[in-house]
Every structure is written in C-alpha cells, then in structure tokens.
Amino acid sequence: MSRPLIDNRSARRLFLARHGLSDRTSGTGRGADLLSVIQGLGFVQLDSVNTFARAHDLILWSRRHNYQPDALGKLFTKDRALFEHWTHDASVLPIHLFPHWRHRFDRNRTRLEERWTKWHKHDFMAEVDAIRSHITAHGPCTSSDVGPDEGRKSGGWWDWHPSKTALEYLWQVGEVSVVRRDGFSKVYDLTENVIPATYRESAPDLDASLDWGMNAALDHLGFANAKELRAFHQLFTPEEVKRWVENARSTGQIVDVTIQGADGVLRPSFMRPGAWEDQVPVPLDRIRILSPFDPALRDRDRAERLFGFAYRIEMFVPAPKRRYGYYVFPVLEGDRIIGRIDMKADRAAGQLNVTAFWPEAGIAMGKGRLARLEDTLDRAAVFGGCDRVVYAPDWIRSDHPA
C-alpha cells in the first residue's frame, strides 16, 4: 500500500489549524477561553524580551485580540490552572499535565546531583537542605533572596551563588514550584503549597506518560516524524520514542504518510489513520504578527520546510552582522508567511515605531494587503501600550539584505 501524499498547502493548513491560527481572533481572551487556547497549543513559551510585547503575550494575542497580560497571570496565580516548567524552554502548561513531569524531575535529580555535587563538592546537598528549610520557615522566595550575586555578572549556572544553584535544583527536581512571577523574576514555594493535591499526588508510570506525550505531540502537530515528536515536550529519550513509534505502527495508531515541503521535496512522516481525509479549515486572510517563539515557528527547520520561511533570531548577533534586526517578527496571512517586520514600542512617546517590512519572495504589497497590514499594526500598537504607529520612510523594502 502506497503512502498517502499530503500536498504542501494541505499540510500548512492542517498545521496552522492545530496551532489555533485558522480561527478568528474573537473570544474573551481570559478565563476558560484563554485556557482553551493554551490547552490547544499544549504549552506557551515564556520570554522576557519586550521590544513590543513579551513572547507569551504576543503568542496569545495573535489568537485572541481581546487578550490582556493580566489574564494569564490570573490563570496562573489565582485559578492555579497552569504551572511553569521546562519543555524545550521555560513554559506555562495546563496544570493537569504536572504528573507527567515527574519523570523529568527524577531524571533531573540523578543528573544534577552528579553534576552539581562535583561542582560544589561536599557542600552542595547541605546547601539544598538549607534552602529547603529556608522556604519552609519563611515562605516564598526569589533567587535574589537566597543567592546574592556579590556584584558578579553571571555567565550561567556555573557562575551562580551556591544558594541560587540549590534553589534551581529544587525546582528542577519538583520539590519547589513557581508560585508567581514578580516582574519577570520567578517566586518559588514548596510544591505542596502550589500544585493542587489531585495533580501533585498522581504518579503515572513511564509507559503511561510516554503514551500520553507521543499522542499529545502528534495531535498538536497534526503530523510528525520521530524527532519532531520527541522535540515537542522534550521529556523522553530517543530510545523511548523509537519504542513508542514501533508499537504505534504495529497497532495501527499511526500510519506512514508523505509530506510535500514548500520546496517540493517529499519527506516521510506519521499521521493518525485517515486524518488526511478530515476537513481542514481554510484560514482567513487575516494578517497576524507572530512572536519569534510562537509554537508554529519554534522548530525553525520544520517552519522552513513547510512555509519556505528561513528565520533566525539575531539578538545575539553583533549589530553590524545582522541581516534584518535585533528582534524581527514573522508575519502570517492566511496559510502563508508573507514577510517579517522590524518594529519597537516607544511607550514613553506613545508610538509603535515600524522600521521595515520585508515581504517574502512572490508577495506583492498591493493596496488591499497593505491596508490589512496597517490595520493589524494599529491593533498591535494598542496592545503594545501605544496610541499610534510611526512608519520609517520607505519602510516597505523590496530587497532582502544579503
């Protein structure tokens, strides 16, 4: 039996639908509606860069234009509907997923005890005990409460104060949890004071968590290969993923398909049986400004294969060597990524400064498309705390920098 072939446009539309980018941007953007968006995505990555809006806020606003940042904070701190931990990076996740992170906690404990005990020698576990006792006695704390930087500019965990490292260890192994963020600083408390008992006391075995994780990843992605399934949550080893894939194939849970890339290249993947026959919504021609950390784009290689969109963040690139800018935003229209935009909020002046928009190859900026882009930027300005958009001369660029 030949593999079903999924053409590129169908693949893009399925992928965007699974990422909430085919829906209208109406909805309250708070409470149960906001939680449903996050559940549909699986998680939302957190990031502190705020040239226009923080990554997590832009991810949610691009799907719900009524969203305001305090709605996410309420879900997290008051409703306890979310928890924070690592996927591929720091993220907020639906609280019911907490039990599946136990295996990460156990693996972190083994790995970090070996690494950090060698680093801090015999004092490390004593430091951990001291920090645990500190939180028990005094309540929630930040890393600055327990680990003074002593005037140093830290280069990473290897340069942290021992107390700060001990606090990070307790979080990585699940003994403490993030109770809230003050600004963008994490505030930690004992997990028993943060995570509801229903989820804290649940302990699925590894096979149950593996089955959940692989099925969830496939459902969120629509189609995937083994590498992409593993990368979604980054909870399991390559060997565990391989074992699941082999079993899922043999039992008919997944089938082999072929996905056509934007470049016409055909690549093997997995899908649910018959999923290619499902009716996939056609995205509206609405223009959306996406975060560089949007779930639809975080796998840069996959995004390039599907959309022909090559994107790299350049904030760590020396300014003279940047092609586009410090923090440039991808722009989606319908089922195509039509370009990238360099913009920054000047909140003191009340304006969103747009430096440049580079259309992708084959994208013509006619009056209708330009009007839709400007309308989206007007909405973005309000969301970013500005009351107007200021465009640089010749901001629509015809040529991409070399």
Side-chain angles (χ1 to χ4, degrees), residues 145-164:
D145 294 329
V146 299
D149 290 330
E150 300 174 349
R152 296 179 302 179
K153 187 174 182 179
S154 175
W157 60 261
W158 57 87
D159 196 32
W160 287 349
H161 186 281
S163 297
K164 181 177 179 180

Side-chain angles (χ1 to χ4, degrees), residues 33-52:
D33 177 61
L34 180 60
L35 182 58
S36 72
V37 173
I38 298 171
Q39 290 172 333
L41 295 172
F43 59 85
V44 174
Q45 182 176 339
L46 301 170
D47 192 76
S48 61
V49 177
N50 197 17
T51 58
F52 160 59

Side-chain angles (χ1 to χ4, degrees), residues 57-89:
D57 292 324
L58 182 51
I59 289 167
L60 297 170
W61 179 79
S62 66
R63 291 156 174 83
R64 292 290 189 273
H65 277 180
N66 288 320
Y67 167 78
Q68 292 296 319
D70 60 353
L72 182 63
K74 182 177 182 295
L75 271 184
F76 190 91
T77 60
K78 184 176 180 181
D79 299 339
R80 287 280 170 251
L82 305 170
F83 76 102
E84 179 179 336
H85 222 277
W86 282 87
T87 53
H88 65 294
D89 212 321

Side-chain angles (χ1 to χ4, degrees), residues 9-282:
R9 170 162 280 188
S10 297
R12 293 199 315 265
R13 288 179 173 178
L14 173 59
F15 184 66
L16 291 171
R18 296 298 176 92
H19 285 77
L21 291 170
S22 295
D23 302 335
R24 296 183 180 276
T25 55
S26 55
T28 65
R30 62 179 183 273
D33 177 61
L34 180 60
L35 182 58
S36 72
V37 173
I38 298 171
Q39 290 172 333
L41 295 172
F43 59 85
V44 174
Q45 182 176 339
L46 301 170
D47 192 76
S48 61
V49 177
N50 197 17
T51 58
F52 160 59
R54 298 197 193 278
H56 43 284
D57 292 324
L58 182 51
I59 289 167
L60 297 170
W61 179 79
S62 66
R63 291 156 174 83
R64 292 290 189 273
H65 277 180
N66 288 320
Y67 167 78
Q68 292 296 319
D70 60 353
L72 182 63
K74 182 177 182 295
L75 271 184
F76 190 91
T77 60
K78 184 176 180 181
D79 299 339
R80 287 280 170 251
L82 305 170
F83 76 102
E84 179 179 336
H85 222 277
W86 282 87
T87 53
H88 65 294
D89 212 321
S91 302
V92 289
L93 304 106
I95 192 71
H96 70 270
L97 302 184
F98 182 84
H100 296 296
W101 259 250
R102 288 190 173 278
H103 305 290
R104 180 191 287 267
F105 298 155
D106 291 342
R107 288 170 173 173
N108 284 348
R109 186 181 299 274
T110 300
R111 176 176 58 88
L112 296 179
E113 280 187 14
E114 180 180 358
R115 176 190 294 181
W116 287 353
T117 298
K118 287 181 180 178
W119 172 37
H120 283 303
K121 308 301 180 186
H122 60 280
D123 296 331
F124 181 63
M125 295 315 295
E127 194 73 43
V128 168
D129 291 340
I131 297 303
R132 188 188 295 112
S133 298
H134 174 89
I135 297 174
T136 301
H138 302 287
C141 70
T142 66
S143 60
S144 61
D145 294 329
V146 299
D149 290 330
E150 300 174 349
R152 296 179 302 179
K153 187 174 182 179
S154 175
W157 60 261
W158 57 87
D159 196 32
W160 287 349
H161 186 281
S163 297
K164 181 177 179 180
T165 310
L167 181 60
E168 177 72 11
Y169 168 85
L170 288 169
W171 181 60
Q172 291 279 3
V173 303
E175 290 193 43
V176 302
S177 294
V178 178
V179 64
R180 67 178 187 277
R181 283 190 179 241
D182 287 346
F184 208 71
S185 296
K186 290 185 285 191
V187 180
Y188 304 87
D189 198 357
L190 298 177
T191 292
E192 64 196 63
N193 297 331
V194 179
I195 305 299
T198 300
Y199 308 110
R200 193 177 67 248
E201 296 170 0
S202 177
D205 64 25
L206 178 60
D207 283 345
S209 284
L210 176 64
D211 193 53
W212 158 79
M214 296 298 95
N215 279 296
L218 185 57
D219 288 340
H220 288 303
L221 294 170
F223 52 88
N225 57 36
K227 182 180 178 181
E228 291 165 342
L229 289 176
R230 179 173 182 260
F232 191 83
H233 294 110
Q234 293 195 4
L235 290 176
F236 308 104
T237 67
E239 294 74 22
E240 289 163 351
V241 173
K242 180 181 179 181
R243 172 163 56 86
W244 184 88
V245 167
E246 290 173 350
N247 179 68
R249 267 181 170 152
S250 66
T251 57
Q253 296 178 64
I254 60 175
V255 294
D256 294 295
V257 299
T258 300
I259 304 294
Q260 182 188 46
D263 56 4
V265 174
L266 304 180
R267 296 176 175 87
S269 195
F270 311 124
M271 288 184 77
R272 298 284 188 206
W276 53 89
E277 298 173 349
D278 294 343
Q279 188 72 28
V280 177
V282 177

